[in-house]
Amino acid sequence: MNFLYGLTLLLIYQLIGEGLSLFFTLSVPGPVIGMSLLFLSLLVFYKIKNNNAEKQPQNDALSNSAAAILNHLSLLFIPAGVGLIVHIDRLEDQWLPIIAAIVLGSIITMAVTAGVMMLLNRLLKLDTDSQSETKI
Amino acid sequence: MNGVNEGVWVYLSTSPLLWLTVTLIVYCAASQLYEWSNANPLLNPVAISITLLISFLALTKTDYQLYFSGAQYIHFLLGPATVALAIPLYHQVSKLKKIWFSAMVAISTGVVLGAVSSVFIAKWLGADIQTQLSLAPKSVTAPVAMGIAEKIGALPSLTAALVVMTGVTGALICTLLFSLLGIKDNSVKGIAVGVAAHGIGTARAFKISAEMGAFSGLAMALSTLISALALPWLVTFLF
């Protein structure tokens, strides 16, 4: 039953997100609005309930359903990935620019993100070097 | 093949059940192989599953539309999965409070430079305009990337395939790249891989460490939000 409650809640938030996205013709897709609303709801809910947003339950219905879906996140990309079969001709024609853009683009994205993050942490003198409060 | 067998094949091959089941069988086998190899990045289960499924479709001369009639039930779960990212994000809220500023700046920079560099590299090496446009949202998680692709006039199905290729690439090269660059902080590594390689990178990050996975999920969620807001606007500048 727990899993069903969690999944239902996720779908309700997605539905609200889709509704808002369509109604206000927003450029942000529905699931992303749903995610933001759920995040805000959790903050508000646990602030009221426990008077302390830091103390969070880890085994409630929602966490379990989320973990069940997110554990197999990579499975969910397969149907879209198989869609490559429709674009085989394009890939054959333009394999060099496509592969180069993907590989170099990924290296640039990761290196820039990590670089900016470390630079700012150092400038702001944040101690983020893990282990101290590891929890999921 | 005799007449009866052929009849069974014709019937089953047009039902969604067959393609849904085949997708799950292939993925389970590929995941098992990945486990046995101690999560060797070269045996990425997504890459192996897609290669096998494409070969299978080509051999049986099956239309992608027909395949998708079964596989859509899996594809559909990308929506609730995106919503579900709020939970790992919430579980990291105390650490998020400390690093939110540097994370937001780093993720925004990564999203913008990543999209711009990919488009320019493709343009410079002679890709056509449709390919260039479809590459812009390649680091965004699939359902959102397809939404962005529609908005900017790219091909949503091509974008989806490029998104998956990007995710697999990021998962493949991240460990090597971080050790070459001497990056050790798990929160930094997680954020970088989440921005570049969305859910597939996040799945990889969870195999390396729970903390890296949580931050990768966080970066994926935030970069999805930033991309959805910024990319349609950025593209009007680039083209």
Side-chain angles (χ1 to χ4, degrees):
Chain A
M1 228 23 216
N2 260 357
F3 176 73
L4 203 57
Y5 287 152
L7 186 64
T8 308
L9 201 59
L10 292 177
L11 288 175
I12 290 173
Y13 272 89
Q14 189 186 351
L15 194 62
I16 297 173
E18 302 278 11
L20 289 175
S21 177
L22 284 174
F23 188 76
F24 294 105
T25 54
L26 302 172
S27 71
V28 185
V32 181
I33 298 177
M35 177 195 73
S36 316
L37 290 176
L38 181 57
F39 180 67
L40 293 177
S41 310
L42 287 170
L43 282 180
V44 173
F45 179 72
Y46 285 115
K47 198 102 192 175
I48 295 169
K49 200 178 163 203
N50 300 330
N51 225 349
N52 178 8
E54 318 289 306
K55 210 176 111 198
Q56 311 131 10
Q58 309 273 317
N59 278 318
D60 53 314
L62 190 59
S63 297
N64 289 339
S65 308
I69 294 186
L70 292 178
N71 276 341
H72 299 288
L73 194 55
S74 43
L75 164 68
L76 312 186
F77 290 94
I78 290 174
V82 176
L84 203 57
I85 197 168
V86 181
H87 299 286
I88 291 282
D89 291 341
R90 184 180 288 268
L91 195 63
E92 261 171 32
D93 282 351
Q94 306 179 32
W95 64 272
L96 181 65
I98 290 176
I99 302 290
I102 287 178
V103 174
L104 297 177
S106 299
I107 293 175
I108 292 170
T109 308
M110 285 194 271
V112 166
T113 309
V116 171
M117 178 98 190
M118 289 198 297
L119 187 71
L120 280 173
N121 281 348
R122 206 164 298 160
L123 285 176
L124 298 169
K125 296 194 171 52
L126 291 175
D127 172 35
T128 60
D129 219 353
S130 50
Q131 308 326 335
S132 50
E133 46 175 342
T134 309
K135 61 178 174 190
I136 289 286
Chain B
M1 232 195 268
N2 65 38
V4 177
N5 276 346
E6 217 164 293
V8 170
W9 168 253
V10 167
Y11 178 75
L12 283 182
S13 68
T14 53
S15 85
L17 173 67
L18 177 74
W19 301 110
L20 179 61
T21 315
V22 167
T23 307
L24 287 171
I25 292 173
V26 168
Y27 178 74
C28 289
S31 301
Q32 194 58 59
L33 190 68
Y34 187 57
E35 294 286 323
W36 281 336
S37 73
N38 281 323
N40 185 333
L42 289 176
L43 292 174
N44 184 286
V46 181
I48 291 189
S49 304
I50 291 172
T51 314
L52 287 175
L53 285 166
I54 287 184
S55 318
F56 189 60
L57 293 189
L59 278 177
T60 56
K61 297 196 171 54
T62 304
D63 212 38
Y64 179 65
Q65 295 297 323
L66 181 60
Y67 167 77
F68 197 76
S69 69
Q72 62 175 324
Y73 301 105
I74 298 172
H75 184 78
F76 171 78
L77 289 174
L78 279 167
T82 307
V83 179
L85 283 173
I87 287 116
L89 191 63
Y90 177 68
H91 287 166
Q92 294 291 328
V93 77
S94 54
K95 190 153 186 186
L96 182 63
K97 274 183 193 156
K98 271 207 288 186
I99 62 159
W100 71 270
F101 179 74
S102 44
M104 280 306 270
V105 177
I107 293 168
S108 311
T109 319
V111 164
V112 172
L113 274 180
V116 173
S117 65
S118 309
V119 169
F120 274 113
I121 290 166
K123 194 177 195 170
W124 179 57
L125 291 170
D128 65 29
I129 196 104
Q130 290 274 285
T131 306
Q132 291 172 34
L133 278 169
S134 303
L135 276 164
K138 72 176 177 30
S139 284
V140 189
T141 187
V144 179
M146 291 169 85
I148 295 175
E150 236 163 74
K151 290 233 154 67
I152 63 178
L155 303 167
S157 65
L158 177 61
T159 294
L162 295 173
V163 162
V164 177
M165 284 172 76
T166 305
V168 171
T169 306
L172 204 69
I173 62 177
C174 69
T175 319
L176 181 64
L177 182 69
F178 294 141
S179 66
L180 282 178
L181 295 173
I183 300 169
K184 293 195 184 71
D185 187 334
N186 270 327
S187 60
V188 173
K189 288 200 286 190
I191 286 195
V193 85
V195 172
H198 54 88
I200 300 173
T202 302
R204 172 72 191 151
F206 270 116
K207 293 277 177 210
I208 300 172
S209 88
E211 195 192 12
M212 184 172 165
F215 277 92
S216 183
L218 183 158
M220 169 181 167
L222 290 178
S223 72
T224 303
L225 197 63
I226 294 169
S227 304
L229 288 169
L231 284 186
W233 175 80
L234 188 66
V235 163
T236 56
F237 268 96
L238 289 176
F239 289 90

